[in-house]
Amino acid sequence: MGAWDDEYSRKGVLWSGLTHELPELPAGSRVLELGCGNGKTLPALISRGWNVTALDSSQKAVTMSRNLVRGSSPAEIMVADACHIPLRDTTFDAVFANHVIGHLQEPDRKKIAFEVNRTLKPGGILFFCEFSTEDVRYGKGHATEPSTFMRGTKIITHYFTLQEVSDLFFGLTCKSITLHQWPMRIRGNNLVRSEVIAIFSK
């Protein structure tokens, strides 16, 4: 059983709460969500009238996602590796990659970047979000490569710089890239969570 299947089997829903603000895309747009997890963002994507495809490497997560959106507008939710997306070239108007690429080592991060470029239509848009090197959890755990750490769950997290994100998607045009930071108070300490949020176009 993979690390993510194990996590979902032990804990159930891993991701809840608010989702990131969604962009304005026309109804009927074909969108792909990489690493859909337990389906946290799927209801919001479907509610926009988009043609939604979602994938995750965890069978347990995909089952949870399917159960969550059952009875709503149809979405194609599949077990698949985002490093080898089993879909045709130039298929999607938009790809959402929120906290999925950061759970991979560098060679696989590069593979996903290639797959995103391959599956986006000309003029298509990538919406990217991952933790930055300024995040409070940076450096916690066993380092498996620069800025990548494994904690007790055996799941790795890579923390990005702005320049690294720009370089990763060198085949796309960066439209915007920013740090999103917010405070978190834990045991009387003021800590900072930090994400890189970027938009690229093909």
Side-chain angles (χ1 to χ4, degrees), residues 4 10-11 24 74 98 102 142 166 168-169 178-179 185:
W4 282 111
R10 290 189 300 110
K11 298 181 181 178
E24 294 297 327
N98 294 326
H142 168 69
S166 294
L168 181 62
F169 299 101
T178 59
L179 278 181
R185 190 168 179 83

Side-chain angles (χ1 to χ4, degrees), residues 120-138:
L120 273 175
K121 295 178 181 178
I125 303 173
L126 165 66
F127 299 94
F128 171 96
C129 179
E130 291 288 349
F131 288 117
S132 87
T133 54
E134 296 186 24
D135 188 78
V136 64
R137 291 180 180 172
Y138 176 81

Side-chain angles (χ1 to χ4, degrees), residues 66-100:
R66 288 172 177 165
N67 290 337
L68 180 66
V69 301
R70 183 177 296 159
S72 61
S73 299
E76 183 178 12
I77 307 172
M78 65 179 74
V79 179
D81 182 354
C83 296
H84 305 282
I85 299 172
L87 299 165
R88 294 180 180 177
D89 296 358
T90 61
T91 297
F92 296 101
D93 299 293
V95 173
F96 292 86
N98 294 326
H99 294 289
V100 57

Side-chain angles (χ1 to χ4, degrees), residues 147-164:
S147 298
T148 306
F149 304 93
M150 179 184 291
R151 303 179 74 181
T153 60
K154 305 302 181 185
I155 292 170
I156 66 169
T157 301
H158 180 76
Y159 297 82
F160 291 82
T161 65
L162 297 179
Q163 186 62 54
E164 182 183 9

Side-chain angles (χ1 to χ4, degrees), residues 17-39:
L18 298 176
T19 61
H20 284 282
E21 184 176 348
L22 294 177
E24 294 297 327
L25 297 171
S29 295
R30 295 202 66 181
V31 304
L32 171 65
E33 183 181 15
L34 302 178
C36 62
N38 49 252

